[in-house]
Amino acid sequence: MNKKKLTALLLAGVTALTMGLTACGDGSSSESGSKSSNSAESSKSVTEIADELRNSITFKDNLNPLEEDMYEKLYGVTADSYKSAKIYIGGGTIAEEIACFEAKDEASLETIKNAINKRIENMKQSSKDYSPEEMGKLEDPVIVTKGNCVYMCISDDNAKAKEIIG
Amino acid sequence: MAEQKAPSPANRARIQQNVISVFCVLAAIMVFVWLILSSVSLETDTGDNSSNSADESSSVISADKNKEDVVKNDDSSSDDSSAPQPVTKDSDDFADACFVGDSRTVGLSMNSGKPLATFYCATGLNVSSALDEKNITLDNGNMGNVSDALAQHQFGRVYVMFGINEIGWPYVENFQAEYEELINAIKEKQPDAKIYIQSIIPITASKESEGEPWTNENVRRFNVAVKAAADNCGVEFLDVGSALADANGYLPEEASTDGVHLVKEYLLKWLDFLIQNT
């Protein structure tokens, strides 16, 4: 009798523990799921927006993701200023680029926005003598700020870029 | 486990019940373990999108502590789009290297993935304007020529590539003379550096179809002058152009979007050639 009771108790305990742990597991996975959707101000993250800009707009150049350890070199943006970011760059002669950042706070957002403007000025400096046909895009880049996120896209399709960024 | 005694029916029933109980407990434990493992993997998958960016950010944070490691980390973490795989990664961080050149070197500066390397380059730069005009942004924010730029730091290696903007010049002798003047200015500012003069990378067949001056015959002609200039100045000539050309001496079509400037895959092949040969 004791053995039966013990076995029954053990089984009940294991079942209860299993249910409890899986509930926690489901809870935390759905919690992290909601965190990932709330991490950006919109329903899509800045990296998702950058990817969508890259994949939905027709670019003349071959754009590739810029390595993160090059962000400071090319944009002057340091890692302590953003939560997430993605930059797509080309070969340097065609004015096409994507840069999306989720800043850590308002002050960092201003720093990043200034860095983006400086980057565009540098591109203008490079283009004005040898690729004047690129200047039009650099004079009218898409730069959108939403909350602590800033999205920049230089392309031949500003309308599409604005539609994607929202 | 079979009992060798002759159990009574009651004992046998008890034994059978015990065995069944043990199996039930074992089955419950297996289900328990499986469920735990499933919830762990579910948690990991759901959090993957949010953690991906965090991983990239944290790899940059680690860059501040150890830049050499970052070259490894980022090369592996940034491959989530259609970017082609780099040919080589970490065997040379080019921390002691400076690259001097025109827009082809600008492309390299943006796509090299070598944040410790230094690039003094500009679109449209040529062997004459490199010294005669102020096209390079100096550390103090002012503009300077290549000589001013190279006066700022001492490098272990200086890689130079000019020529694509000059292949339409009427006199290749002038090109060679100007190049020698530039090389000597570089030697003066970088007395201890190993200087490499890189050959002009060819152009694609489609670019060549535009006609003069865009011909690989001009590229070859001017490369003879590039080598002569390097030899006359006592510095090493690196035939990067041949390393990137196809069997017919053309830049492959897939290497460039405009026939002249390299896509990332070929910029990394260029870098790989330097890693293997210098």
Side-chain angles (χ1 to χ4, degrees):
Chain A
M1 284 300 161
N2 274 343
K3 266 193 190 169
K4 271 192 185 169
K5 274 189 186 168
L6 192 65
T7 310
L9 273 170
L10 189 64
L11 273 171
V14 163
T15 310
L17 202 59
T18 304
M19 285 167 58
L21 280 163
T22 52
C24 284
D26 284 340
S28 49
S29 61
S30 60
E31 193 186 322
S32 65
S34 64
K35 264 189 188 162
S36 78
S37 65
N38 287 337
S39 64
E41 288 295 315
S42 68
S43 58
K44 292 184 184 171
S45 67
V46 291
T47 51
E48 285 168 328
I49 297 280
D51 288 342
E52 196 174 335
L53 288 165
R54 169 67 182 88
N55 296 327
S56 306
I57 294 173
T58 303
F59 291 96
K60 285 186 261 189
D61 204 352
N62 196 343
L63 299 193
N64 289 295
L66 181 66
E67 292 84 355
E68 281 209 49
D69 59 357
M70 294 287 289
Y71 284 10
E72 189 171 351
K73 206 167 172 75
L74 212 63
Y75 271 73
V77 172
T78 52
D80 58 1
S81 61
Y82 60 87
K83 288 183 188 173
S84 69
K86 192 152 189 180
I87 299 176
Y88 278 98
I89 53 156
T93 48
I94 300 176
E96 289 175 337
E97 199 152 303
I98 298 165
C100 300
F101 292 86
E102 185 191 351
K104 286 199 171 156
D105 49 44
E106 272 187 47
S108 299
L109 180 69
E110 284 312 301
T111 304
I112 292 168
K113 283 163 70 174
N114 289 339
I116 287 174
N117 288 331
K118 185 154 188 282
R119 170 74 184 142
I120 293 171
E121 286 307 309
N122 288 344
M123 290 171 79
K124 283 185 193 174
Q125 192 66 29
S126 299
S127 295
K128 65 180 173 61
D129 292 328
Y130 296 99
S131 317
E133 68 278 10
E134 301 297 314
M135 291 297 286
K137 284 179 277 184
L138 294 168
E139 296 290 355
D140 186 28
V142 169
I143 303 177
V144 175
T145 306
K146 289 161 68 176
N148 275 352
C149 295
V150 58
Y151 308 88
M152 182 271 276
C153 183
I154 302 167
S155 72
D156 283 319
D157 197 345
N158 281 357
K160 185 81 183 167
K162 287 174 188 167
E163 181 193 325
I164 290 167
I165 294 167
Chain B
M1 286 180 61
E3 297 289 328
Q4 295 303 317
K5 303 173 191 174
S8 65
N11 277 342
R12 190 162 48 223
R14 199 178 306 122
I15 290 160
Q16 285 171 347
Q17 285 168 358
N18 286 340
V19 168
I20 290 167
S21 300
V22 166
F23 273 111
C24 283
V25 169
L26 282 173
I29 289 170
M30 280 172 58
V31 167
F32 159 75
V33 168
W34 173 78
L35 282 166
I36 295 300
L37 289 173
S38 300
S39 358
V40 167
S41 64
L42 188 68
E43 202 173 18
T44 310
D45 285 342
T46 312
D48 190 51
N49 281 340
S50 64
S51 66
N52 194 27
S53 308
D55 282 344
E56 291 176 1
S57 298
S58 63
S59 75
V60 178
I61 289 165
S62 67
D64 292 336
K65 293 168 189 161
N66 188 339
K67 283 185 177 172
E68 280 186 13
D69 284 346
V70 160
V71 176
K72 297 173 195 165
N73 290 340
D74 273 316
D75 278 340
S76 57
S77 70
S78 63
D79 286 339
D80 53 338
S81 73
S82 57
Q85 294 292 323
V87 176
T88 59
K89 294 181 183 179
D90 338 302
S91 50
D92 190 343
D93 64 5
F94 289 93
D96 71 328
C98 176
F99 294 81
V100 179
D102 51 39
S103 53
R104 284 168 149 181
T105 303
V106 170
L108 188 64
S109 73
M110 291 166 65
N111 290 277
S112 67
K114 302 292 181 186
L116 302 180
T118 302
F119 291 85
Y120 295 139
C121 49
T123 301
L125 208 59
N126 60 50
V127 289
S128 177
S129 62
L131 287 181
D132 295 345
E133 296 174 19
K134 295 179 188 299
N135 288 300
I136 311 293
T137 305
L138 305 178
D139 294 349
N140 60 14
N142 294 336
M143 301 304 288
N145 65 12
V146 164
S147 181
D148 298 332
L150 288 170
Q152 300 176 109
H153 307 282
Q154 288 300 302
F155 298 98
R157 295 172 279 172
V158 180
Y159 296 94
V160 186
M161 184 188 286
F162 285 102
I164 197 61
N165 292 319
E166 296 93 310
I167 56 171
W169 286 14
Y171 303 110
V172 68
E173 299 80 11
N174 286 353
F175 167 75
Q176 182 176 328
E178 299 267 11
Y179 215 157
E180 289 181 20
E181 186 184 344
L182 174 60
I183 294 169
N184 287 327
I186 294 171
K187 284 171 69 177
E188 187 196 333
K189 290 295 190 294
Q190 297 287 322
D192 300 323
K194 180 90 169 135
I195 297 170
Y196 298 97
I197 306 302
Q198 303 169 97
S199 63
I200 308 165
I201 298 168
I203 57 177
T204 61
S206 55
K207 185 66 181 176
E208 199 176 67
S209 67
E210 291 182 17
E212 286 285 341
W214 298 110
T215 70
N216 280 308
E217 178 52 35
N218 283 340
V219 170
R220 280 187 284 276
R221 229 166 25 91
F222 276 72
N223 268 334
V224 170
V226 171
K227 185 168 189 312
D231 291 346
N232 288 346
C233 295
V235 296
E236 190 166 333
F237 172 76
L238 278 180
D239 198 1
V240 174
S242 295
L244 299 179
D246 63 18
N248 298 318
Y250 286 86
L251 185 66
E253 292 297 327
E254 72 268 15
S256 172
T257 50
D258 64 358
V260 175
H261 300 96
L262 305 187
V263 298
K264 182 167 182 167
E265 183 188 347
Y266 274 75
L267 288 166
L268 294 176
K269 281 187 198 283
W270 173 3
L271 208 62
D272 188 45
F273 175 83
L274 299 182
I275 292 171
Q276 302 299 327
N277 292 279
T278 64

